[in-house]
Amino acid sequence: MREEENGGMEMDDLAASEPPPGESRGGGGGGGLVETALQPVRWLQMLCRELGATFVAGVVLVFGLNQGFAGSFFRVASDYYWKDVQRVQPATVQFLSVFFYIPWVLKPLWGILTDVFPVRGYHRRPYFIFSGILGMSATAVLAMGIGLSVTSAVLCFVGISTAVAIADVTIDACIAKNSIDKPALAPDMQSLCAFSSSLGALIGYSTSGMFVHHLGAQGALGVLALPPAMLVFLGFYIYELKKHQHNVKEKEFVGVVHAIGAVASMVGVLIYHKIFKDYPFRTILFFAQLLFGISGFLDLTFVLRWNLVLGVPDAVFVILEESVSRVVSRVRLMPMMVLSTKLCPPGAEGTFFALLMCIDSIGMLAAKTNGAIVLRTLHVTRTDFSNLWLAVLLRNLLRLSALGAIFLVPTADQTDVLLPQSLLNSGSTVASASDEEETLLQLGKLSSHTDGE
Protein backbone atom coordinates (compact mmCIF):
# COMPACT_ATOMS: atom_id res chain seq x y z
CA MET A 1 0.00 0.00 0.00
CA ARG A 2 2.76 2.45 0.90
CA GLU A 3 4.54 1.71 -2.39
CA GLU A 4 1.34 2.43 -4.27
CA GLU A 5 0.89 5.72 -2.39
CA ASN A 6 4.47 6.72 -3.14
CA GLY A 7 3.97 5.85 -6.77
CA GLY A 8 0.79 7.94 -6.82
CA MET A 9 2.57 10.91 -5.30
CA GLU A 10 5.32 10.67 -7.88
CA MET A 11 2.76 10.60 -10.66
CA ASP A 12 1.04 13.68 -9.19
CA ASP A 13 4.34 15.53 -9.07
CA LEU A 14 5.07 14.52 -12.65
CA ALA A 15 1.66 15.64 -13.77
CA ALA A 16 2.06 18.96 -11.97
CA SER A 17 5.36 19.52 -13.73
CA GLU A 18 3.86 18.90 -17.19
CA PRO A 19 2.97 22.05 -19.12
CA PRO A 20 -0.70 22.75 -19.86
CA PRO A 21 -2.15 21.36 -23.09
CA GLY A 22 -1.25 23.37 -26.15
CA GLU A 23 1.86 24.87 -24.46
CA SER A 24 5.34 23.49 -24.98
CA ARG A 25 8.00 23.21 -22.32
CA GLY A 26 9.99 26.01 -23.85
CA GLY A 27 6.99 28.28 -23.66
CA GLY A 28 7.23 29.17 -27.33
CA GLY A 29 9.30 31.94 -28.88
CA GLY A 30 7.59 34.70 -26.89
CA GLY A 31 8.07 32.86 -23.62
CA GLY A 32 11.76 32.47 -24.34
CA LEU A 33 12.18 36.20 -24.89
CA VAL A 34 10.33 36.99 -21.67
CA GLU A 35 12.47 34.52 -19.78
CA THR A 36 15.64 36.09 -21.19
CA ALA A 37 14.45 39.57 -20.30
CA LEU A 38 13.65 38.49 -16.75
CA GLN A 39 17.04 36.87 -16.14
CA PRO A 40 18.74 40.11 -14.95
CA VAL A 41 15.85 40.80 -12.61
CA ARG A 42 15.98 37.31 -11.14
CA TRP A 43 19.77 37.60 -10.86
CA LEU A 44 19.40 40.81 -8.83
CA GLN A 45 16.73 39.17 -6.70
CA MET A 46 19.11 36.30 -6.00
CA LEU A 47 21.88 38.72 -4.99
CA CYS A 48 19.51 40.65 -2.73
CA ARG A 49 18.35 37.42 -1.12
CA GLU A 50 21.86 36.03 -0.58
CA LEU A 51 23.80 39.23 0.18
CA GLY A 52 21.19 41.68 1.38
CA ALA A 53 19.29 44.35 -0.50
CA THR A 54 21.16 47.22 1.17
CA PHE A 55 24.50 45.76 0.09
CA VAL A 56 23.35 45.47 -3.53
CA ALA A 57 22.02 49.01 -3.34
CA GLY A 58 25.36 50.15 -1.94
CA VAL A 59 27.27 48.62 -4.86
CA VAL A 60 24.92 50.27 -7.36
CA LEU A 61 25.13 53.64 -5.60
CA VAL A 62 28.93 53.68 -5.26
CA PHE A 63 29.96 52.10 -8.57
CA GLY A 64 27.02 53.14 -10.68
CA LEU A 65 26.05 56.56 -9.35
CA ASN A 66 29.23 57.91 -7.75
CA GLN A 67 31.94 56.38 -9.93
CA GLY A 68 30.21 55.70 -13.24
CA PHE A 69 27.72 58.54 -13.55
CA ALA A 70 29.43 61.19 -11.40
CA GLY A 71 32.89 60.33 -12.73
CA SER A 72 31.92 60.72 -16.39
CA PHE A 73 29.73 63.75 -15.67
CA PHE A 74 32.54 65.30 -13.63
CA ARG A 75 35.04 64.88 -16.46
CA VAL A 76 32.93 66.85 -18.94
CA ALA A 77 31.57 69.51 -16.54
CA SER A 78 34.95 70.18 -14.92
CA ASP A 79 36.59 70.83 -18.30
CA TYR A 80 34.02 73.51 -19.09
CA TYR A 81 34.31 74.90 -15.57
CA TRP A 82 38.03 75.53 -15.94
CA LYS A 83 37.57 76.94 -19.44
CA ASP A 84 34.48 79.13 -18.98
CA VAL A 85 34.50 80.03 -15.27
CA GLN A 86 38.13 80.01 -14.17
CA ARG A 87 39.48 80.79 -17.66
CA VAL A 88 42.76 78.96 -17.20
CA GLN A 89 44.97 77.58 -19.93
CA PRO A 90 44.82 73.90 -20.97
CA ALA A 91 48.35 73.26 -19.75
CA THR A 92 47.40 74.63 -16.33
CA VAL A 93 44.30 72.44 -16.22
CA GLN A 94 46.44 69.42 -17.04
CA PHE A 95 48.78 70.27 -14.17
CA LEU A 96 45.96 70.92 -11.69
CA SER A 97 44.31 67.59 -12.54
CA VAL A 98 47.28 65.85 -10.91
CA PHE A 99 45.95 66.90 -7.50
CA PHE A 100 42.62 65.17 -8.14
CA TYR A 101 44.34 61.76 -8.12
CA ILE A 102 46.07 62.24 -4.77
CA PRO A 103 43.07 60.89 -2.77
CA TRP A 104 43.21 57.71 -4.86
CA VAL A 105 46.90 57.28 -4.12
CA LEU A 106 46.01 57.53 -0.43
CA LYS A 107 43.51 54.64 -0.61
CA PRO A 108 45.57 52.51 1.82
CA LEU A 109 45.15 55.27 4.40
CA TRP A 110 41.37 55.29 3.97
CA GLY A 111 41.42 51.51 4.28
CA ILE A 112 43.29 51.73 7.57
CA LEU A 113 40.75 54.23 8.88
CA THR A 114 37.74 52.07 8.02
CA ASP A 115 39.29 48.88 9.38
CA VAL A 116 40.85 50.17 12.59
CA PHE A 117 38.90 53.22 13.72
CA PRO A 118 35.22 52.39 14.08
CA VAL A 119 32.72 55.05 15.08
CA ARG A 120 30.27 53.87 17.73
CA GLY A 121 31.02 50.28 16.80
CA TYR A 122 30.53 50.65 13.04
CA HIS A 123 33.39 50.34 10.55
CA ARG A 124 31.57 51.17 7.29
CA ARG A 125 28.48 53.23 7.96
CA PRO A 126 30.19 56.36 9.34
CA TYR A 127 32.59 56.56 6.40
CA PHE A 128 29.76 56.44 3.88
CA ILE A 129 28.14 59.32 5.77
CA PHE A 130 31.40 61.26 6.00
CA SER A 131 32.19 60.84 2.31
CA GLY A 132 28.68 61.90 1.39
CA ILE A 133 28.80 65.07 3.49
CA LEU A 134 32.26 65.92 2.15
CA GLY A 135 31.15 65.44 -1.46
CA MET A 136 27.98 67.49 -1.02
CA SER A 137 29.84 70.33 0.68
CA ALA A 138 32.56 70.53 -1.96
CA THR A 139 30.04 70.36 -4.79
CA ALA A 140 27.85 73.06 -3.23
CA VAL A 141 30.79 75.45 -2.95
CA LEU A 142 31.69 74.89 -6.59
CA ALA A 143 28.13 75.26 -7.83
CA MET A 144 27.18 78.35 -5.82
CA GLY A 145 30.54 80.03 -5.23
CA ILE A 146 31.07 83.26 -7.11
CA GLY A 147 34.58 84.47 -7.80
CA LEU A 148 36.28 81.40 -6.38
CA SER A 149 40.06 81.46 -6.61
CA VAL A 150 41.85 78.72 -8.48
CA THR A 151 43.22 77.34 -5.21
CA SER A 152 39.75 77.16 -3.66
CA ALA A 153 38.38 75.44 -6.74
CA VAL A 154 41.19 72.88 -6.69
CA LEU A 155 40.49 72.14 -3.02
CA CYS A 156 36.82 71.58 -3.83
CA PHE A 157 37.65 69.21 -6.65
CA VAL A 158 40.06 67.35 -4.37
CA GLY A 159 37.24 67.13 -1.81
CA ILE A 160 34.94 65.55 -4.39
CA SER A 161 37.64 63.09 -5.40
CA THR A 162 38.34 62.25 -1.75
CA ALA A 163 34.67 61.56 -1.12
CA VAL A 164 34.48 59.12 -4.01
CA ALA A 165 37.76 57.43 -3.01
CA ILE A 166 36.61 56.89 0.59
CA ALA A 167 33.27 55.50 -0.56
CA ASP A 168 35.09 53.22 -3.01
CA VAL A 169 37.38 51.82 -0.30
CA THR A 170 34.45 51.31 2.07
CA ILE A 171 32.29 49.40 -0.39
CA ASP A 172 35.33 47.38 -1.50
CA ALA A 173 35.74 46.30 2.11
CA CYS A 174 32.11 45.17 2.17
CA ILE A 175 32.61 43.27 -1.09
CA ALA A 176 35.76 41.59 0.22
CA LYS A 177 33.99 40.45 3.38
CA ASN A 178 31.04 39.06 1.45
CA SER A 179 33.45 37.33 -0.95
CA ILE A 180 35.00 35.57 2.04
CA ASP A 181 31.64 34.65 3.56
CA LYS A 182 30.08 33.58 0.24
CA PRO A 183 32.96 32.70 -2.12
CA ALA A 184 30.64 31.26 -4.78
CA LEU A 185 29.12 34.72 -5.33
CA ALA A 186 32.43 36.59 -5.68
CA PRO A 187 32.27 36.63 -9.53
CA ASP A 188 28.66 37.83 -9.39
CA MET A 189 29.61 40.73 -7.13
CA GLN A 190 32.39 41.83 -9.47
CA SER A 191 30.00 41.56 -12.41
CA LEU A 192 27.55 43.78 -10.57
CA CYS A 193 30.29 46.34 -9.88
CA ALA A 194 31.51 46.44 -13.47
CA PHE A 195 28.03 46.58 -15.00
CA SER A 196 26.90 49.34 -12.63
CA SER A 197 29.99 51.41 -13.39
CA SER A 198 29.61 51.01 -17.16
CA LEU A 199 25.91 51.80 -17.12
CA GLY A 200 26.48 54.86 -14.95
CA ALA A 201 29.25 56.08 -17.25
CA LEU A 202 26.95 55.67 -20.24
CA ILE A 203 24.24 57.78 -18.61
CA GLY A 204 26.75 60.37 -17.40
CA TYR A 205 28.41 60.91 -20.77
CA SER A 206 25.02 60.96 -22.52
CA THR A 207 23.53 63.66 -20.31
CA SER A 208 26.52 65.80 -19.31
CA GLY A 209 26.57 67.83 -22.53
CA MET A 210 22.88 68.64 -22.23
CA PHE A 211 23.21 69.81 -18.62
CA VAL A 212 26.26 71.94 -19.38
CA HIS A 213 24.44 73.52 -22.35
CA HIS A 214 21.28 74.39 -20.42
CA LEU A 215 22.65 75.05 -16.90
CA GLY A 216 26.20 76.16 -17.55
CA ALA A 217 29.30 74.62 -16.05
CA GLN A 218 28.54 75.59 -12.44
CA GLY A 219 24.91 74.55 -12.68
CA ALA A 220 25.92 71.21 -14.13
CA LEU A 221 28.35 70.67 -11.29
CA GLY A 222 25.44 71.23 -8.91
CA VAL A 223 23.90 68.01 -10.28
CA LEU A 224 26.86 66.17 -8.76
CA ALA A 225 25.46 66.88 -5.29
CA LEU A 226 22.95 64.04 -5.78
CA PRO A 227 25.40 61.08 -5.75
CA PRO A 228 27.07 62.01 -2.43
CA ALA A 229 23.65 62.72 -0.93
CA MET A 230 22.73 59.13 -1.68
CA LEU A 231 25.91 58.03 0.14
CA VAL A 232 24.61 59.69 3.29
CA PHE A 233 21.36 57.78 2.86
CA LEU A 234 23.33 54.59 2.32
CA GLY A 235 25.36 55.16 5.49
CA PHE A 236 22.19 55.17 7.58
CA TYR A 237 20.56 52.10 6.04
CA ILE A 238 23.24 49.67 4.87
CA TYR A 239 23.28 46.54 7.01
CA GLU A 240 26.30 46.20 9.31
CA LEU A 241 26.75 44.39 12.58
CA LYS A 242 27.78 46.65 15.42
CA LYS A 243 31.07 45.68 17.04
CA HIS A 244 32.26 46.64 20.46
CA GLN A 245 35.62 48.34 20.81
CA HIS A 246 37.04 45.75 23.19
CA ASN A 247 36.67 43.08 20.52
CA VAL A 248 39.48 44.64 18.51
CA LYS A 249 42.55 42.42 18.87
CA GLU A 250 45.67 43.96 20.36
CA LYS A 251 47.84 42.27 17.69
CA GLU A 252 45.84 44.10 14.99
CA PHE A 253 46.58 47.42 16.72
CA VAL A 254 50.30 46.66 16.81
CA GLY A 255 50.24 45.92 13.09
CA VAL A 256 48.42 49.15 12.40
CA VAL A 257 50.95 51.13 14.44
CA HIS A 258 53.78 49.69 12.37
CA ALA A 259 51.87 50.39 9.17
CA ILE A 260 51.44 54.02 10.18
CA GLY A 261 55.13 54.06 11.04
CA ALA A 262 55.92 52.90 7.50
CA VAL A 263 53.90 55.80 6.12
CA ALA A 264 55.76 58.16 8.45
CA SER A 265 59.03 56.72 7.19
CA MET A 266 58.06 57.67 3.64
CA VAL A 267 57.20 61.14 4.90
CA GLY A 268 60.70 61.32 6.41
CA VAL A 269 62.21 60.49 3.01
CA LEU A 270 60.19 63.28 1.40
CA ILE A 271 61.22 65.74 4.11
CA TYR A 272 64.88 64.90 3.61
CA HIS A 273 64.62 65.11 -0.17
CA LYS A 274 62.76 68.41 -0.23
CA ILE A 275 64.41 70.25 2.68
CA PHE A 276 67.58 68.71 4.07
CA LYS A 277 69.49 67.23 1.13
CA ASP A 278 71.32 70.55 0.53
CA TYR A 279 72.50 70.97 4.14
CA PRO A 280 76.16 70.23 5.08
CA PHE A 281 76.85 66.81 6.55
CA ARG A 282 77.82 68.04 10.01
CA THR A 283 74.81 70.35 10.34
CA ILE A 284 72.15 67.87 9.29
CA LEU A 285 73.64 65.00 11.29
CA PHE A 286 74.00 67.14 14.42
CA PHE A 287 70.36 68.20 14.47
CA ALA A 288 69.16 64.76 13.34
CA GLN A 289 71.03 63.05 16.18
CA LEU A 290 69.80 65.69 18.64
CA LEU A 291 66.19 65.09 17.60
CA PHE A 292 66.83 61.35 17.72
CA GLY A 293 67.82 61.63 21.36
CA ILE A 294 65.00 64.00 22.29
CA SER A 295 62.34 61.91 20.53
CA GLY A 296 63.40 58.98 22.71
CA PHE A 297 61.96 60.81 25.72
CA LEU A 298 58.51 60.16 24.27
CA ASP A 299 59.09 56.52 25.23
CA LEU A 300 60.05 57.65 28.73
CA THR A 301 56.86 59.68 28.96
CA PHE A 302 54.83 56.62 28.00
CA VAL A 303 56.63 54.27 30.40
CA LEU A 304 56.10 56.68 33.30
CA ARG A 305 52.45 57.10 32.22
CA TRP A 306 52.78 60.87 31.99
CA ASN A 307 50.71 60.81 28.82
CA LEU A 308 47.64 59.97 30.91
CA VAL A 309 48.41 62.91 33.17
CA LEU A 310 48.42 65.09 30.05
CA GLY A 311 45.13 63.58 28.96
CA VAL A 312 46.52 61.75 25.90
CA PRO A 313 45.18 58.17 25.45
CA ASP A 314 47.69 55.37 25.09
CA ALA A 315 46.69 54.51 21.51
CA VAL A 316 47.06 58.10 20.31
CA PHE A 317 50.38 58.54 22.11
CA VAL A 318 51.83 55.30 20.72
CA ILE A 319 50.91 56.31 17.17
CA LEU A 320 52.42 59.77 17.74
CA GLU A 321 55.64 58.32 19.11
CA GLU A 322 55.97 55.80 16.29
CA SER A 323 55.42 58.47 13.64
CA VAL A 324 57.90 60.92 15.15
CA SER A 325 60.61 58.30 15.67
CA ARG A 326 60.23 56.94 12.13
CA VAL A 327 60.49 60.40 10.55
CA VAL A 328 63.52 61.36 12.65
CA SER A 329 65.23 58.01 12.04
CA ARG A 330 64.79 58.30 8.30
CA VAL A 331 66.08 61.89 8.19
CA ARG A 332 69.06 60.76 10.29
CA LEU A 333 69.82 57.72 8.12
CA MET A 334 69.70 59.29 4.66
CA PRO A 335 72.72 61.63 5.01
CA MET A 336 74.68 58.80 6.65
CA MET A 337 74.09 56.66 3.56
CA VAL A 338 75.16 59.51 1.28
CA LEU A 339 78.30 60.03 3.36
CA SER A 340 79.11 56.31 3.22
CA THR A 341 78.88 56.23 -0.57
CA LYS A 342 81.14 59.28 -0.91
CA LEU A 343 83.87 57.70 1.23
CA CYS A 344 84.26 54.65 -1.02
CA PRO A 345 87.59 54.70 -2.94
CA PRO A 346 87.55 53.97 -6.69
CA GLY A 347 87.95 50.32 -7.54
CA ALA A 348 86.92 49.10 -4.10
CA GLU A 349 83.40 50.50 -3.83
CA GLY A 350 81.73 47.19 -3.07
CA THR A 351 84.26 46.13 -0.46
CA PHE A 352 84.41 49.45 1.36
CA PHE A 353 80.65 50.05 1.38
CA ALA A 354 80.08 46.51 2.63
CA LEU A 355 82.64 47.21 5.37
CA LEU A 356 80.75 50.32 6.46
CA MET A 357 77.46 48.42 6.53
CA CYS A 358 79.16 45.65 8.48
CA ILE A 359 80.25 48.20 11.09
CA ASP A 360 76.63 49.35 11.34
CA SER A 361 75.48 45.74 11.79
CA ILE A 362 78.10 45.16 14.49
CA GLY A 363 76.83 48.26 16.28
CA MET A 364 73.27 46.90 16.17
CA LEU A 365 74.49 43.55 17.50
CA ALA A 366 76.33 45.24 20.35
CA ALA A 367 73.25 47.35 21.13
CA LYS A 368 71.03 44.28 21.35
CA THR A 369 73.51 42.41 23.53
CA ASN A 370 74.12 45.29 25.91
CA GLY A 371 70.41 46.03 26.02
CA ALA A 372 69.74 42.49 27.19
CA ILE A 373 72.41 42.86 29.88
CA VAL A 374 70.93 46.16 31.08
CA LEU A 375 67.39 44.73 31.25
CA ARG A 376 68.61 41.72 33.22
CA THR A 377 70.64 43.94 35.54
CA LEU A 378 67.63 46.17 36.22
CA HIS A 379 65.42 43.09 36.77
CA VAL A 380 62.99 44.05 34.00
CA THR A 381 60.81 41.01 33.27
CA ARG A 382 57.69 40.26 31.29
CA THR A 383 55.62 41.07 34.37
CA ASP A 384 57.76 43.66 36.18
CA PHE A 385 58.37 46.99 34.44
CA SER A 386 59.14 49.08 37.48
CA ASN A 387 62.74 49.79 36.39
CA LEU A 388 62.07 50.00 32.66
CA TRP A 389 62.21 53.78 32.76
CA LEU A 390 65.87 53.58 33.83
CA ALA A 391 66.72 51.53 30.74
CA VAL A 392 64.90 54.01 28.50
CA LEU A 393 66.64 56.94 30.16
CA LEU A 394 70.04 55.30 29.69
CA ARG A 395 69.29 54.67 26.03
CA ASN A 396 68.36 58.30 25.45
CA LEU A 397 71.50 59.55 27.19
CA LEU A 398 73.62 57.30 24.99
CA ARG A 399 71.92 58.71 21.94
CA LEU A 400 72.75 62.23 23.05
CA SER A 401 76.32 61.26 23.92
CA ALA A 402 76.94 60.51 20.24
CA LEU A 403 76.87 64.27 19.67
CA GLY A 404 80.35 64.38 21.21
CA ALA A 405 81.75 62.71 18.10
CA ILE A 406 80.01 64.98 15.63
CA PHE A 407 83.28 66.87 15.05
CA LEU A 408 84.51 63.82 13.12
CA VAL A 409 81.89 64.39 10.44
CA PRO A 410 83.12 66.56 7.55
CA THR A 411 81.62 70.02 7.10
CA ALA A 412 81.29 69.56 3.33
CA ASP A 413 78.02 69.71 1.48
CA GLN A 414 76.28 66.50 0.52
CA THR A 415 77.07 67.17 -3.14
CA ASP A 416 80.81 67.69 -2.63
CA VAL A 417 83.59 65.22 -3.44
CA LEU A 418 85.19 64.00 -0.21
CA LEU A 419 88.01 61.79 -1.47
CA PRO A 420 91.46 63.31 -2.24
CA GLN A 421 91.99 64.18 -5.87
CA SER A 422 95.13 62.03 -5.99
CA LEU A 423 93.12 58.96 -4.97
CA LEU A 424 90.53 59.72 -7.60
CA ASN A 425 93.20 60.19 -10.27
CA SER A 426 94.91 56.94 -9.34
CA GLY A 427 91.62 55.16 -9.54
CA SER A 428 90.93 56.58 -12.98
CA THR A 429 94.49 55.67 -14.06
CA VAL A 430 94.00 52.07 -12.96
CA ALA A 431 90.66 51.97 -14.73
CA SER A 432 92.21 53.40 -17.91
CA ALA A 433 95.06 50.88 -17.77
CA SER A 434 92.66 48.00 -17.35
CA ASP A 435 90.55 49.29 -20.23
CA GLU A 436 93.66 49.55 -22.40
CA GLU A 437 94.70 46.01 -21.51
CA GLU A 438 91.23 44.76 -22.36
CA THR A 439 91.40 46.53 -25.72
CA LEU A 440 94.80 45.02 -26.53
CA LEU A 441 93.54 41.59 -25.54
CA GLN A 442 90.56 41.91 -27.86
CA LEU A 443 92.83 43.08 -30.72
CA GLY A 444 95.13 40.11 -30.12
CA LYS A 445 92.22 37.69 -30.30
CA LEU A 446 90.99 39.34 -33.49
CA SER A 447 94.43 39.19 -35.17
CA SER A 448 94.93 35.55 -34.22
CA HIS A 449 91.54 34.70 -35.60
CA THR A 450 92.39 36.52 -38.86
CA ASP A 451 95.76 34.78 -39.15
CA GLY A 452 94.09 31.45 -38.63
CA GLU A 453 91.80 32.10 -41.57
Side-chain angles (χ1 to χ4, degrees), residues 109-133:
L109 177 60
W110 314 137
I112 291 175
L113 290 176
T114 59
D115 287 338
V116 180
F117 297 102
V119 179
R120 293 192 174 184
Y122 293 105
H123 287 269
R124 317 302 177 198
R125 281 185 167 189
Y127 293 96
F128 281 125
I129 297 174
F130 172 75
S131 62
I133 294 175

Side-chain angles (χ1 to χ4, degrees), residues 336-354:
M336 287 295 297
M337 298 298 293
V338 175
L339 179 60
S340 299
T341 57
K342 287 183 174 292
L343 294 177
C344 295
E349 294 88 352
T351 303
F352 196 82
F353 192 81

Side-chain angles (χ1 to χ4, degrees), residues 36 122 135 231 238 325 345 373:
T36 302
Y122 293 105
L231 290 179
I238 191 170
S325 63
I373 295 174

Side-chain angles (χ1 to χ4, degrees), residues 192-235:
L192 179 62
C193 296
F195 181 79
S196 301
S197 179
S198 300
L199 180 60
L202 173 63
I203 298 174
Y205 283 125
S206 302
T207 60
S208 56
M210 177 189 65
F211 278 102
V212 171
H213 176 72
H214 291 286
L215 301 178
Q218 280 188 283
L221 288 174
V223 177
L224 293 180
L226 176 62
M230 297 303 295
L231 290 179
V232 177
F233 176 81
L234 176 65

Side-chain angles (χ1 to χ4, degrees), residues 55 171-182 189-190:
F55 168 77
I171 197 65
D172 282 343
C174 298
I175 294 172
K177 186 178 185 308
N178 282 331
S179 297
I180 295 173
D181 295 338
K182 297 181 180 295
M189 284 184 273
Q190 293 302 322

Side-chain angles (χ1 to χ4, degrees), residues 34 105 125 137 187 229 290 414 427:
V34 172
V105 177
R125 281 185 167 189
S137 303
L290 179 63
Q414 298 182 54

Side-chain angles (χ1 to χ4, degrees), residues 199-270:
L199 180 60
L202 173 63
I203 298 174
Y205 283 125
S206 302
T207 60
S208 56
M210 177 189 65
F211 278 102
V212 171
H213 176 72
H214 291 286
L215 301 178
Q218 280 188 283
L221 288 174
V223 177
L224 293 180
L226 176 62
M230 297 303 295
L231 290 179
V232 177
F233 176 81
L234 176 65
F236 281 107
Y237 288 98
I238 191 170
Y239 177 75
E240 181 185 6
L241 290 175
K242 186 175 182 179
K243 297 181 180 179
H244 299 286
Q245 188 67 27
H246 65 268
N247 289 334
V248 179
K249 297 180 180 178
E250 295 180 0
K251 292 183 180 180
E252 294 178 357
F253 176 74
V254 173
V256 170
V257 169
H258 288 299
I260 295 175
V263 175
S265 181
M266 291 188 290
V267 173
V269 174
L270 294 176

